[in-house]
Amino acid sequence: MNVILISLCHVMPIREFFLNEKNYSNTKLPPGSIMFPLIQRFGDLVRKLWNPRNFRSHISPHEMLQAVVVCSKKKFQFTEQGDPVPFLSWLLNSLHYTLTGGKIKKRSIVFDTFQGEMVIHSRKVPPPGERATGEEFKTVSTKSPFLYLMLELPPAPLFADDSDHNIIPQVPIYKLLEKYNNLTEIEHKTYDATFLRRFEITKLPRYLILFVKRFTENRFFVEKNPTIVNFPISFDMAEFIETKVSDKYKSTEYNLLSNICHEGRAKGGTYSTHLHLSSANQWFELQDLHVTKLQPQMITLSESYIQIYERADFSVDPNRMSPYSALIP
């Protein structure tokens, strides 16, 4: 949980909104809802973290973690290490649900910051020996919002090389992002049919979250793919979207803000966060109470799991980043 909380607290629109308690203190929820402590404790955490008069160099997220346990109905426990991806998805959707008073179709600072849109083009593959005729084999296009993009790694090698060494494979992030260029078809199987899908991004989010699918779980064990993803500190999404979409934005370039990585075995291991502090133009590695300076060249050598990128046209002027901006003097 810690790696997700510390990363979200450094997303500027989220930080600015929760610094001012008046932005959410009058939120009305449906009768019987237990979700209000979530935004209340998250706001407290943000203000503690960014308080320039902190006496101690560290803060305790205990109240926030207690709220997570209660609001998630014990789905997430701070006494056990869990997967940060399900927690991130739950937290973003729960914050949005609470801030909108249970009216999920309304706008919120969470969806304004992280939500993008895509169109999924899907067509059914005919059985072998049959022709693709009829309505069921036509391409169907559906709009779908997203809070993060999942990147699928190629399978890791099963056997050692000629020197009896298991070489850790590497793959560029651009190769993984080709999934969303509206050209690559991805096979999707159901219990009775096979479909080919193309993903077309139609709206870029202000902050882009990428999730590298490293873990696969079956009935017996959890397996980790150790493939290293080669990624730059900044990259342009223009080559993965249509020109008519990129023309809507002043910039389609994204700068890395946070890189959450996993070290060790699939069961257990440790999570740490590589975080960029723009005011000092310095990268730091955070793992629990340990904070160390980090060279940018070392970030790309990690087993990256979750990344948060900031769009360049929103990193220049903070006052343009959100209609809910509420800086406290």
Side-chain angles (χ1 to χ4, degrees):
M1 294 185 190
N2 288 341
V3 292
I4 296 299
L5 294 175
I6 193 68
S7 297
L8 290 183
C9 287
H10 283 77
V11 175
M12 188 172 291
I14 301 295
R15 183 192 73 182
E16 291 180 356
F17 179 83
F18 282 97
L19 279 177
N20 191 342
E21 191 174 2
K22 294 180 181 179
N23 288 330
Y24 59 86
S25 59
N26 295 324
T27 300
K28 295 182 179 179
L29 290 168
S33 176
I34 60 173
M35 299 301 293
F36 185 75
L38 185 69
I39 59 174
Q40 188 178 35
R41 297 308 181 191
F42 185 74
D44 292 343
L45 180 65
V46 172
R47 288 190 294 276
K48 286 180 182 178
L49 183 64
W50 290 102
N51 186 355
R53 300 179 183 87
N54 272 339
F55 178 74
R56 296 181 297 178
S57 60
H58 63 275
I59 62 172
S60 172
H62 183 74
E63 294 87 355
M64 175 61 190
L65 298 179
Q66 288 280 14
V68 167
V69 173
V70 173
C71 296
S72 68
K73 298 180 180 179
K74 299 184 179 180
K75 179 180 180 181
F76 301 101
Q77 298 279 355
F78 60 85
T79 56
E80 302 174 1
Q81 178 175 282
D83 191 336
V85 172
F87 175 65
L88 173 62
S89 179
W90 175 85
L91 181 59
L92 293 180
N93 283 285
S94 297
L95 289 175
H96 169 74
Y97 173 86
T98 309
L99 291 172
T100 58
K103 301 174 182 178
I104 58 176
K105 292 186 178 181
K106 290 179 61 178
R107 291 177 58 192
S108 75
I109 184 63
V110 177
F111 277 21
D112 282 355
T113 302
F114 294 109
Q115 190 179 73
E117 293 179 0
M118 69 170 67
V119 176
I120 302 176
H121 306 281
S122 178
R123 63 183 181 91
K124 187 177 180 180
V125 178
E130 296 187 16
R131 299 180 61 183
T133 57
E135 292 291 329
E136 62 176 324
F137 296 107
K138 290 185 177 181
T139 300
V140 178
S141 301
T142 55
K143 291 183 178 181
S144 177
F146 65 87
L147 291 175
Y148 58 82
L149 297 179
M150 184 177 69
L151 307 180
E152 297 181 1
L153 294 172
L158 298 177
F159 305 101
D161 60 5
D162 296 336
S163 303
D164 290 331
H165 293 293
N166 287 318
I167 298 177
I168 298 178
Q170 301 185 29
V171 60
I173 196 171
Y174 297 103
K175 184 68 176 177
L176 304 181
L177 283 170
E178 287 179 356
K179 172 182 178 180
Y180 300 99
N181 62 6
N182 197 26
L183 297 174
T184 305
E185 290 188 319
I186 306 298
E187 187 178 71
H188 174 74
K189 292 185 177 182
T190 63
Y191 71 97
D192 63 345
T194 301
F195 296 86
L196 292 178
R197 291 180 174 178
R198 290 183 290 111
F199 300 90
E200 177 187 4
I201 296 177
T202 56
K203 178 185 176 183
L204 293 175
R206 298 176 179 183
Y207 284 75
L208 176 65
I209 301 178
L210 301 180
F211 152 49
V212 180
K213 188 178 180 182
R214 288 199 175 275
F215 301 99
T216 54
E217 184 175 359
N218 57 32
R219 189 178 301 177
F220 304 103
F221 58 88
V222 178
E223 187 176 6
K224 178 183 176 182
N225 190 327
T227 300
I228 299 295
V229 178
N230 296 322
F231 58 91
I233 301 300
S234 300
F235 76 97
D236 200 332
M237 282 289 290
E239 61 182 283
F240 305 105
I241 58 179
E242 301 288 344
T243 305
K244 61 182 180 181
V245 177
S246 60
D247 289 344
K248 299 178 183 178
Y249 304 96
K250 290 186 177 181
S251 175
T252 55
E253 182 179 351
Y254 282 87
N255 301 316
L256 184 63
L257 173 67
S258 175
N259 177 49
I260 298 173
C261 53
H262 180 269
E263 303 290 341
R265 297 183 178 181
K267 279 291 186 180
T270 57
Y271 289 99
S272 60
T273 308
H274 300 152
L275 198 64
H276 182 249
L277 190 62
S278 57
S279 59
N281 194 24
Q282 176 67 52
W283 282 92
F284 294 90
E285 182 177 14
L286 295 83
Q287 182 180 350
D288 296 329
L289 296 179
H290 303 284
V291 180
T292 56
K293 289 185 177 181
L294 191 67
Q295 294 296 324
Q297 297 83 355
M298 300 299 296
I299 299 174
T300 58
L301 301 178
S302 62
E303 296 181 28
S304 181
Y305 190 39
I306 302 173
Q307 296 180 328
I308 301 178
Y309 285 88
E310 178 185 57
R311 210 169 74 210
D313 56 344
F314 282 95
S315 59
V316 178
D317 184 5
N319 293 323
R320 292 182 59 251
M321 301 188 77
S322 170
Y324 305 96
S325 180
L327 290 171
I328 295 179

